[in-house]
Amino acid sequence: MLELSINAKTPASINGAFKKIKEMIVSGAVDKKTPVHLTLDAGVYKEIIKYNLSNPLVMESANGVGASNCIIQAENCEAFNKGLENRSVFIIGPNATTVTLKNFSIINTHIKSIDGSNTQADSAEAFTWNNTTGTLYAEGMRFSGRQNTLCLKGFSLLKKCYIEGDTDFIYGDCDTALFEECEIFVREDNRGDNNGYAVKSLSLANKKGFIFSECTFNAMKRRRASVYLYRTEGKGSATSPKNWDNAVILNCTISEIFNQELVWDDDMSLTVFPRGNAVQGLREYKTKTVSKTNKPMETDTTKRSIRAYTLTDDDYYKNYSSRFLLLKDTPFASQF
């Protein structure tokens, strides 16, 4: 394993480390399969970084350094650098194999400036997993931005992470993205009293999509606007290879600030596909609602979107009750 320690006092230190690794691979000093372990000292790393090497990567803060004290931070967006592969603060490319991120923060400081509920120019990911064949494991991470904070393709597992944004800030055309014990927070919109949206699935057809297990969803209350857990793109169909509305919440707690329909579909003018059932579409199981006094209550699901489905106990224990069941058909099956 190649071990490297990074210090925030050195300008562009993370990019410098990645450049050094690539040079060592080209020279033959390091094999393309040699694992790389990067340790980040406390501090703020002000740089936009990309990793697109096949070497397995473990990147984490130093022992005893919490995520709030180890920060990768920059401003980037579609208006500055066009394309999903360019507009994020931290981008993992298609050549990566296994990537592990632990206990640091990634922040995109971009402030939205264009009116409207979803404007391409203000797309500003903090982190992009632009990879369809490898696996991403993130633990104890903090992802902060506004529009499109966290983009996930392929296969990912996030445990005890914090993700915040205001519009479609967890999204992507993923195969399987599992969130365990994560905190999802819908922050205020810097432009005014606009609706907030946490999740937008563009998942691949017939795949598992976004799975939230024992997660907490919270939000800042709007004056008149609403906060939705989910927003559809409205482009899914039986023949589309992606844009499926595949998302499930399992044993999660949701603030009463969220609209009880949970799903925004422009007053049912947009297609939500597929209709929720035991294995696909929009599903939930034993959701708790948290009141202003932080008291969890049984959730009344009668006001849910007509396209959503409430899982039965049989559904849950057959398909969702363990990590093994959730990840058995993915590359993670051999890792856990």
Side-chain angles (χ1 to χ4, degrees):
M1 179 177 287
L2 178 62
E3 298 272 2
L4 295 172
S5 294
I6 313 297
N7 192 300
K9 295 179 181 179
T10 304
S13 55
I14 300 175
N15 275 312
F18 288 163
K19 181 180 178 181
K20 180 179 179 180
I21 295 166
K22 187 173 182 179
E23 290 173 347
M24 295 174 73
I25 293 171
V26 171
S27 69
V30 171
D31 187 79
K32 291 182 179 180
K33 295 182 180 180
T34 300
V36 175
H37 184 200
L38 265 62
T39 303
L40 305 178
D41 289 340
V44 179
Y45 298 80
K46 296 183 178 181
E47 47 186 317
I48 295 171
I49 57 178
K50 296 182 180 181
Y51 185 81
N52 195 28
L53 302 174
S54 60
N55 300 69
L57 173 68
V58 176
M59 189 169 171
E60 60 185 330
S61 63
N63 287 337
V65 177
S68 60
N69 294 316
C70 183
I71 302 167
I72 299 172
Q73 177 178 301
E75 182 182 8
N76 199 6
C77 68
E78 176 72 16
F80 298 168
N81 296 293
K82 294 187 181 301
L84 179 64
E85 69 278 6
N86 298 312
R87 67 188 185 217
S88 182
V89 172
F90 191 171
I91 307 104
I92 302 290
N95 294 327
T97 51
T98 60
V99 173
T100 299
L101 308 177
K102 289 186 177 181
N103 302 321
F104 62 93
S105 299
I106 307 173
I107 301 174
N108 194 327
T109 59
H110 180 67
I111 302 297
K112 296 196 292 186
S113 59
I114 302 173
D115 289 336
S117 62
N118 186 15
T119 55
Q120 183 73 5
D122 273 328
S123 297
E125 288 80 0
F127 179 77
T128 298
W129 175 245
N130 192 22
N131 183 290
T132 60
T133 57
T135 57
L136 167 71
Y137 177 72
E139 183 176 347
M141 294 290 295
R142 295 180 67 87
F143 303 97
S144 177
R146 290 194 175 272
Q147 184 169 302
N148 307 130
T149 302
L150 181 64
C151 177
L152 300 172
K153 293 189 175 185
F155 306 93
S156 56
L157 168 57
L158 295 87
K159 184 176 179 64
K160 294 184 177 179
C161 294
Y162 174 87
I163 309 106
E164 71 173 7
D166 61 25
T167 303
D168 305 338
F169 62 92
I170 299 174
Y171 85 106
D173 50 343
C174 71
D175 179 303
T176 304
L178 172 58
F179 296 75
E180 292 182 340
E181 302 176 70
C182 292
E183 181 180 354
I184 293 94
F185 184 75
V186 185
R187 65 193 300 189
E188 84 293 347
D189 190 318
N190 67 270
R191 302 163 305 167
D193 192 35
N194 297 309
N195 285 350
Y197 312 95
V199 181
K200 183 172 74 173
S201 169
L202 308 172
S203 75
L204 302 182
N206 295 304
K207 302 300 182 181
K208 295 182 178 180
F210 289 87
I211 306 166
F212 299 89
S213 177
E214 299 185 31
C215 293
T216 300
F217 291 83
N218 208 340
M220 293 189 71
K221 186 174 179 59
R222 272 60 172 166
R223 293 188 299 274
R224 291 177 297 276
S226 295
V227 180
Y228 293 89
L229 190 147
Y230 185 88
R231 176 159 76 157
T232 182
E233 184 81 353
K235 296 180 180 179
S237 71
T239 59
S240 61
K242 59 180 182 179
N243 293 320
W244 278 35
D245 295 300
N246 268 342
V248 58
I249 54 175
L250 308 167
N251 301 304
C252 292
T253 58
I254 300 176
S255 167
E256 66 176 3
I257 293 172
F258 284 83
N259 187 293
Q260 291 185 51
E261 289 184 10
L262 288 190
V263 179
W264 181 91
D265 56 5
D266 199 15
D267 292 330
M268 298 177 63
S269 66
L270 297 177
T271 300
V272 179
F273 186 89
R275 192 182 186 102
N277 56 62
V279 294
Q280 291 176 335
L282 304 176
R283 297 144 286 159
E284 67 179 300
Y285 179 76
K286 290 194 174 179
T287 306
K288 295 281 189 180
T289 299
V290 180
S291 67
K292 295 177 182 178
T293 59
N294 291 323
K295 181 180 179 181
M297 304 175 294
E298 292 291 338
T299 297
D300 178 4
T301 60
T302 58
K303 295 183 178 181
R304 295 293 197 245
S305 165
I306 61 171
R307 291 288 181 177
Y309 176 78
T310 300
L311 297 167
T312 66
D313 287 344
D314 286 344
D315 295 332
Y316 176 75
Y317 287 107
K318 181 179 179 180
N319 299 298
Y320 304 98
S321 59
S322 69
R323 183 186 278 181
F324 169 77
L325 289 174
L326 295 171
L327 299 177
K328 66 178 182 178
D329 299 321
T330 74
F332 280 114
S334 62
Q335 299 181 30
F336 296 100

